[in-house]
Structures are given as structure tokens and as C-alpha cells.
């Protein structure tokens, strides 16, 4: 290799990021949304799958949920951290991980153990609490396990309106109550919080609140329609993940992620399903 090509390959070494998430078969949400976001934002994306979700068009597009075997989840995490984790010898070590849908208390236990052992710098948690169509008792156990075992390990958390109410115990009706919930979730977790009002708070703008213990900032963009778009939450958290891995501050990562998602929603993709999907190529 010539010195010029060595220099070129060194300078172009991308940051490496991992998503621990479910597959959503139609490609709008989950690991597929994460990987597309990572690629658009110039980081090397890795996906370790926790479950496979296939919407059911014969049953109101409810979620059919199949967990991945626990040993297979642990095997994926072992392979990934051996190849890219701290001390692996990788040129760009894996210091940033995103957690998406885990889906069961068993998976939460497996992932919590791996996170504790791997010692990541940035752990971005998209606290996916309820999967449409899951059996309610099982969903409640999963929510409780997520709060007890994963939330304390997070350095950045991105709850939507429903998740922010569940994590904070507060009712969210406007920007002021969204701010109060963001502060409360920071107090509980110690993480930077980006609480998403999205289309669920009335008014012309989609409003999110960032709080990291010091800075409280309202991020606002004009609403694009009034229906939630599939993949918006996954892509927002994935964009935060990519930006943190590239060295952005938590606040700058939140701002960039909001702009990325707004552009992706403007360029959303329609299908035969009764919802649209964010297009990560929208900002181009
Ligand atoms: O958008 C939340 C989400 C995350 N992960 C998977 C999903 C969904 C929603 O459908 O299927 C795998």
C-alpha cells in the first residue's frame, strides 16, 4: 500500500455503531430503519437482532412477534464485541450502541448482561414499550424489566409521548408537561433525554424537548401531516446514535436528528399498508 492510499484509508475509517433491535419486515421501522439511517449519516452500522415483527394484513396490521432464541442473541453480541468492541484491535472501536425493541424480559436480561460487560461510552435507548398486538400481561412484564434493567444503563433516552408518560408517571398534554416529563426521566435515569411530543401535542409544530441535567431546549419543526409515520422514532434515535459516535455533543446530536427525521417525514413512502414510512434518503 502506498503512503497516499494508507492515509486515505485512515482518514475515511468510519465510526462503528451497533443497533440491538428487532426486524420489522416491511422495512419502515426497527433494525432496517436504523441501518439506513446509519448509512446516510456516514457511520458503519451493525445490527444484532432481538426479534422478528411481521405485521398481519389479515388482522388489522397487528404485530406478529417472534423472539430470537436467547443463545442466538448472545452469540450475535459476542461476535460483534469480539470484532469491534473495546480491546478488539479494531481501528475504530465500537463505543456507541442503540437499543430498540427487545420485546421480552428474557431478552432484556441477555442484553443488560452484554451491555454491562462491554462498557460502551454511549448507550442510546429508544424505550419501545408496547408492541401492538402483544399480550398485555407479557407487555407489562417487559416494560417493568426495561425500566429496571436497561434504563439505568442508558446515557441517552428517546421516549415518545406514551413512553414519556409511562417512564415519568406524568400526564403529558402540552409543551410544559412534556418538559416536566423530560426533567423527571433525566432524574430517574441520569441520561440525556429527548422526549418526543410529535404529532400528539396539539398545535402547528411537532415539538420535542431535550434535557441533559443542564440544558433544557425545545426542538420544534412545522408538523408534516397529523398522523405518525412508521420509523420516525427508530430513525430519530439511530440518528442520535450516529452523531454521538462521530463526536457530537448530546444537544447537537438531538438537533441533527430532529432535522434528519423532519426531512425523512417530508419524503415519506406510501404502500398498501395503512401507514407511511419515513425515507432516510429524504435529506439528500
Ligand atoms: O417503531 C417501533 C418499532 C421498533 N422495532 C420494531 C418494530 C417497531 C414498530 O413496529 O416493529 C421491530
Amino acid at each position: 500500500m502506498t503512503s497516499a492510499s494508507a492515509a486515505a484509508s485512515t482518514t475515511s475509517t468510519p465510526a462503528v455503531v451497533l443497533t440491538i433491535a428487532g426486524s420489522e419486515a416491511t422495512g419502515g421501522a426497527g433494525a432496517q430503519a436504523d441501518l439506513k439511517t446509519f448509512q446516510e449519516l456516514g457511520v458503519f452500522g451493525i445490527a444484532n437482532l432481538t426479534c422478528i415483527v411481521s405485521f398481519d394484513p389479515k388482522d388489522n396490521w397487528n404485530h406478529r412477534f417472534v423472539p430470537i432464541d436467547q443463545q442466538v442473541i448472545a452469540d450475535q453480541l459476542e461476535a460483534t464485541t469480539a470484532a469491534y468492541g473495546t480491546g478488539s484491535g479494531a481501528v475504530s472501536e465500537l463505543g456507541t450502541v442503540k437499543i430498540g425493541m427487545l420485546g421480552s424480559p428474557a431478552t432484556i436480561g441477555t442484553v443488560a448482561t452484554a451491555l454491562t460487560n462491554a462498557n460502551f461510552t454511549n448507550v442510546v435507548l429508544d424505550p419501545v414499550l408496547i408492541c401492538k398486538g402483544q399480550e398485555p400481561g407479557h407487555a407489562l412484564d417487559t416494560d417493568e424489566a426495561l425500566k429496571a434493567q436497561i434504563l439505568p444503563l442508558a446515557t441517552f433516552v428517546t421516549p415518545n409521548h406514551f413512553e414519556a408518560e409511562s417512564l415519568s408517571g406524568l400526564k403529558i398534554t402540552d409543551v410544559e408537561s412534556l418538559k416536566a416529563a423530560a426533567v423527571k426521566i433525566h432524574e430517574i435515569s441520569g441520561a440525556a433525554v429527548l422526549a418526543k411530543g410529535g404529532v400528539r401535542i396539539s398545535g402547528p409544530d411537532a415539538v420535542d424537548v431535550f434535557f441533559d441535567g443542564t440544558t433544557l431546549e425545545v426542538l420544534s419543526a412545522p408538523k408534516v401531516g397529523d398522523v405518525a409515520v412508521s420509523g420516525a422514532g427508530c430513525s430519530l434515535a439511530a440518528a442520535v446514535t450516529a452523531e454521538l459516535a462521530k463526536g457530537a455533543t448530546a444537544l447537537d446530536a438531538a438537533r441533527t436528528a430532529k432535522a434528519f427525521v423532519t426531512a425523512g417525514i417530508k419524503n415519506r413512502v406510501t404502500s398498501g399498508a395503512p401507514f407511511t414510512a419515513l425515507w432516510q434518503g429524504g435529506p439528500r
Side-chain angles (χ1 to χ4, degrees), residues 10-236:
T10 306
T11 51
S12 65
T13 298
V16 174
V17 297
L18 166 65
T19 179
I20 304 172
S23 164
E24 188 277 275
T26 69
Q32 289 89 334
D34 294 345
L35 287 176
K36 287 182 267 187
T37 301
F38 294 158
Q39 188 72 17
E40 286 293 331
L41 293 176
V43 297
F44 181 94
I46 301 171
N48 288 184
L49 293 184
T50 55
C51 60
I52 297 181
V53 171
S54 315
F55 300 143
D56 187 352
K58 305 181 296 310
D59 179 24
N60 194 28
W61 296 83
N62 270 322
H63 295 190
R64 291 174 291 199
F65 168 87
V66 177
I68 303 283
D69 181 83
Q70 292 309 309
Q71 187 59 50
V72 177
I73 297 172
D75 290 351
Q76 294 174 77
L77 291 163
E78 182 188 24
T80 301
T81 49
Y84 291 104
T86 312
S88 61
V91 175
S92 188
E93 280 186 358
L94 173 63
T96 304
V97 60
K98 187 208 136 170
I99 316 289
M101 185 185 285
L102 298 178
S104 77
T107 299
I108 286 166
T110 301
V111 171
T113 303
L115 289 181
T116 307
N117 294 339
N119 206 12
F120 294 111
T121 309
N122 302 305
V123 177
V124 179
L125 173 63
D126 186 14
V128 182
L129 289 184
I130 293 272
C131 181
K132 212 176 135 202
Q134 251 184 335
E135 191 258 307
H138 178 82
L140 199 62
D141 288 352
T142 304
D143 292 359
E144 291 307 321
L146 191 82
K147 288 178 201 170
Q149 296 178 52
I150 305 287
L151 188 60
L153 302 174
T155 62
F156 198 120
V157 58
T158 62
N160 64 20
H161 179 264
F162 168 78
E163 293 153 356
E165 285 191 335
S166 171
L167 295 178
S168 68
L170 301 173
K171 180 103 193 99
I172 300 170
T173 51
D174 55 15
V175 180
E176 288 313 307
S177 45
L178 188 62
K179 284 182 189 168
V183 170
K184 186 79 188 288
I185 296 166
H186 169 76
E187 286 167 3
I188 295 166
S189 64
V193 179
L194 182 57
K196 301 171 281 182
V199 292
R200 290 189 185 84
I201 289 183
S202 59
D205 293 332
V207 176
D208 304 330
V209 171
F210 173 89
F211 184 64
D212 64 356
T214 313
T215 305
L216 189 129
E217 183 162 307
V218 175
L219 306 179
S220 190
K223 274 182 191 163
V224 184
D226 54 9
V227 179
V229 171
S230 174
C234 301
S235 301
L236 184 83

